[in-house]
Amino acid sequence: KFIPDWYSAEELRKGDVILYPVPKGVKRLKSIEFDADKLKYDFKSKALPRQIEVNNGFCRMVGYYLSEGYVITDKCKGTIGFVFNSKEKSYIEDVLKLMQKIFGIKPAGLIYNRRATGVNIPFYSARLARFFQKHFGNGAANKHVPHWMMELPLEQQRALLSGLWRGDGYIDLKRQRAKYVTISKQLAYQLRLLLLRQKIISN
């Protein structure tokens, strides 16, 4: 029996219901351009694809980067890497396969910490590092989802959410709760919208 209408903030009262907009637009993308140019004095960078197919694998790869990835950028030197718990073998294997399939590169090796509880997976590619920094941010507080991914079909956004959750999320089956942790305000708000598009209400 509620009737939607516009009210100013001072008119709101306890018990009122506020409607929250859910973006429903969908824009399908077959591919995106790899727009990290090779620098003039860069003679060592490995060849990378000019176009990147936007599919479930790529979207999951982006989710891994947003939650567990990092980049180090320099003029002709650069690294993109991922840090996982050493027990997360299936996720580590997934990242290795996706990086090989999408970009055709292999890691410099698997670097374990002293207690062998964590593993760092660095890929040496200055151009790829700049590409990820440009589109998805660098540093935990600056990570974000580019606008064009916010409008992808729901199936591809589910793949993105899968990669995100495998990194910084967890599921509590006993309490029937799923949680995600980030210090990026922009990513937190974007995550809420992505979940609402899947008809999942979060707080």
Side-chain angles (χ1 to χ4, degrees):
K1 296 180 181 180
F2 287 111
I3 300 174
D5 204 349
W6 292 96
Y7 294 89
S8 62
E10 64 182 9
E11 295 178 278
L12 296 178
R13 298 290 181 268
K14 185 177 180 180
D16 288 344
V17 175
I18 298 177
L19 301 180
Y20 193 88
V22 180
K24 295 182 179 178
V26 175
K27 290 185 179 179
R28 298 180 182 275
L29 282 178
K30 289 184 178 180
S31 63
I32 60 170
E33 182 182 355
F34 187 86
D35 54 1
D37 295 331
K38 196 170 185 178
L39 300 180
K40 186 177 180 180
Y41 299 104
D42 182 0
F43 303 109
K44 295 183 179 181
S45 289
K46 295 180 180 178
L48 293 167
R50 293 182 178 180
Q51 295 287 325
I52 301 171
E53 184 181 353
V54 178
N55 53 28
N56 289 354
F58 174 71
C59 291
R60 192 166 69 254
M61 182 80 255
V62 171
Y64 283 131
Y65 173 76
L66 290 172
S67 57
E68 299 289 7
Y70 68 89
V71 294
I72 301 172
T73 56
D74 202 347
K75 288 184 179 179
C76 294
K77 297 179 181 179
T79 304
I80 174 171
F82 303 84
V83 180
F84 287 96
N85 186 302
S86 57
K87 294 181 180 179
E88 298 173 323
K89 294 181 180 180
S90 62
Y91 303 162
I92 294 169
E93 188 65 28
D94 196 25
V95 166
L96 295 175
K97 287 181 179 179
L98 289 171
M99 291 292 280
Q100 174 67 40
K101 184 176 181 180
I102 299 169
F103 302 108
I105 62 173
K106 296 181 180 181
L110 302 183
I111 304 171
Y112 290 86
N113 61 13
R114 290 183 179 181
R115 297 183 179 180
T117 56
V119 58
N120 178 20
I121 315 168
F123 296 84
Y124 296 146
S125 174
R127 292 180 65 205
L128 192 56
R130 292 198 303 272
F131 174 81
F132 270 81
Q133 179 175 263
K134 178 180 179 179
H135 289 277
F136 312 109
N138 183 26
N142 303 311
K143 295 287 186 67
H144 62 272
V145 179
H147 178 70
W148 56 267
M149 290 197 82
M150 297 297 295
E151 297 182 316
L152 288 177
L154 296 182
E155 180 184 352
Q156 293 179 346
Q157 290 187 342
R158 280 195 289 272
L160 172 64
L161 289 167
S162 174
L164 280 162
W165 233 269
R166 290 178 179 186
D168 286 334
Y170 71 93
I171 297 173
D172 186 339
L173 293 177
K174 291 183 179 180
R175 296 184 179 182
Q176 295 186 333
R177 290 180 181 177
K179 290 188 177 183
Y180 188 84
V181 179
T182 178
I183 64 170
S184 168
K185 286 187 177 181
Q186 184 177 1
L187 182 58
Y189 285 119
Q190 289 178 321
L191 187 56
R192 179 167 65 179
L193 290 177
L194 289 170
L195 291 170
L196 284 172
R197 283 169 65 88
Q198 303 287 340
K199 297 185 178 180
I200 299 171
I201 298 174
S202 62
N203 58 18

